[in-house]
Amino acid sequence: VNLKGANLSDTDLHGANLSGVNLHGANLSKANLSDADLSNAKLSSADLSHANLRGAELIAADLNNATLSGTNLRNADLRRVNFSNANLNKANLIATKLRLADLRHGNLAGANLGAANLNGANLNHANLQQSNLRHADLSGANLSGANLSGAELCNAELSGANLSDANLSNANLRHASLVNVNLCNAHLMGADLGRVDLSGANLSGVDLSFVRVEYARFKGNLGLSEETKLSLKHRGAIVTEGDFDA
């Protein structure tokens, strides 16, 4: 089915089977697509702003350069979706399945990704400023160069993630797991790392001078000088000597 460029704004498509349909450039703003099947659909450059996609299935759909500002995607299945260059500003992505999704250069500023599964997702240079990622699973995700300034990452799982060159200034990472994370040259000014597990993390080029580290755990880290270790201990961190055995 070819609905390329179609105007479907405000349309009720609840539970519709649109699997594999070509909706490139279509206007689906404010449409009701809750529980719809859009797996493998072609939605590149489509306008889905303020649409309702709650519980929808979009496995492997193409949403490159699509607009999803303010869209409700709660509980949607977004595994392997192409969201590269998409605008998801202030979108509701609570408890979504985003495993292996492509979000490169995506705009997720102010988005709610609480408890979302982003395992292995590609968020290279994505904008996640002021986003909510509490309890999210970002293990193995690529967040290289991402903007996470002011983001809420409390209790998030980031083990094995790539955060090199990421901006985490003023981010809240309390109780998060950053085991074996690559933080090389990341910016952490004003971040809260209280009770964070940083065992095995690569901290090369990271300035921890203005970071909260109470009860944060450091062990087997690259890039930590003896002077920095002493400073961390004085500020309440738990610094253990020796290699970290995962």
Side-chain angles (χ1 to χ4, degrees), residues 39-243:
S39 54
N40 294 297
K42 299 172 180 64
L43 288 151
S44 55
S45 300
D47 183 0
L48 290 141
S49 55
H50 301 286
N52 181 11
L53 285 143
R54 182 164 183 157
E57 185 172 305
L58 291 100
I59 298 172
D62 182 9
L63 284 125
N64 172 54
N65 207 43
T67 301
L68 297 107
S69 180
T71 301
N72 183 6
L73 290 147
R74 184 167 183 150
N75 294 117
D77 193 339
L78 307 167
R79 287 174 292 171
R80 304 193 310 280
V81 167
N82 179 10
F83 276 125
S84 57
N85 297 295
N87 181 8
L88 289 141
N89 179 57
K90 295 183 178 177
N92 181 354
L93 292 148
I94 294 173
T96 50
K97 298 174 184 174
L98 280 154
R99 188 171 182 274
L100 301 175
D102 184 354
L103 290 143
R104 287 173 298 167
H105 299 277
N107 179 16
L108 293 111
N112 192 343
L113 290 139
N117 183 352
L118 289 139
N119 175 253
N122 189 351
L123 291 139
N124 178 259
H125 285 92
N127 180 10
L128 290 147
Q129 189 173 13
Q130 302 291 329
S131 62
N132 175 25
L133 287 151
R134 288 173 178 264
H135 297 279
D137 182 359
L138 289 146
S139 53
N142 179 9
L143 289 146
S144 177
N147 182 2
L148 289 146
S149 60
E152 283 289 338
L153 288 146
C154 185
N155 291 292
E157 175 59 66
L158 288 141
S159 297
N162 181 5
L163 284 153
S164 59
D165 298 300
N167 181 1
L168 287 151
S169 59
N170 299 307
N172 179 13
L173 290 128
R174 290 186 72 82
H175 298 279
S177 174
L178 277 77
V179 174
N180 290 326
V181 163
N182 180 7
L183 280 159
C184 183
N185 296 316
H187 184 58
L188 289 161
M189 174 79 74
D192 189 346
L193 296 174
R195 299 183 184 276
V196 169
D197 189 353
L198 287 141
S199 302
N202 182 354
L203 296 163
S204 302
V206 177
D207 185 357
L208 294 166
S209 302
F210 301 98
V211 178
R212 292 191 63 177
V213 293
E214 295 92 342
Y215 299 104
R217 294 184 292 282
F218 295 85
K219 183 177 182 180
N221 304 106
L222 289 175
L224 284 188
S225 66
E226 292 305 314
E227 183 181 0
T228 299
K229 290 178 184 178
L230 190 60
S231 173
L232 290 170
K233 289 178 182 178
H234 284 161
R235 286 151 52 206
I238 301 166
V239 181
T240 307
E241 299 300 328
D243 296 330

